[in-house]
Amino acid sequence: MDFLWHKVSEKEKKEIKKQAKSIMDSFSKKLSKIGKVPEFVVERGEGDREEGKSECDENFSRKLMFENAPEKNKDFIIGEKKSW
């Protein structure tokens, strides 16, 4: 983060740090007044999915996936690694 400070004077740096500390202290005090928040728990009945079911949709097959893949190698689809 040093690159952000190159155009800021020492006086401005100290003022920014002072303001940031003031904001954090104020926020901390307000949080401490809230107290403990109860934990939120969701209980659900049975879902739509059947556990242990291993059937695949006939329209979604391994063969189709490999046919559509532009690059593949035996049992693997070769994906493109994005460079940012």
Side-chain angles (χ1 to χ4, degrees):
M1 281 210 164
D2 290 337
F3 64 93
L4 296 175
W5 296 107
H6 72 280
K7 293 184 180 182
V8 181
S9 71
E10 286 300 316
K11 183 178 178 183
E12 289 172 314
K13 286 182 194 179
K14 287 180 183 178
E15 185 59 33
I16 291 169
K17 288 180 181 180
K18 183 178 173 183
Q19 289 174 356
K21 182 167 177 15
S22 173
I23 291 168
M24 289 174 35
D25 289 344
S26 172
F27 183 68
S28 177
K29 283 181 185 177
K30 289 179 182 177
L31 277 180
S32 68
K33 291 179 184 177
I34 292 175
K36 186 172 180 176
V37 177
E39 186 176 326
F40 184 72
V41 178
V42 175
E43 291 186 31
R44 299 192 173 141
E46 289 188 34
D48 294 335
R49 184 177 73 175
E50 294 179 28
E51 294 295 327
K53 187 177 179 183
S54 62
E55 279 181 34
C56 292
D57 181 358
E58 63 188 46
N59 295 322
F60 181 80
S61 69
R62 179 182 176 90
K63 181 181 174 189
L64 179 63
M65 293 295 290
F66 274 84
E67 285 174 3
N68 288 330
E71 291 185 51
K72 50 200 161 253
N73 181 0
K74 196 177 176 185
D75 290 334
F76 301 98
I77 293 175
I78 300 172
E80 177 184 334
K81 182 178 179 183
K82 197 69 176 173
S83 60
W84 296 95

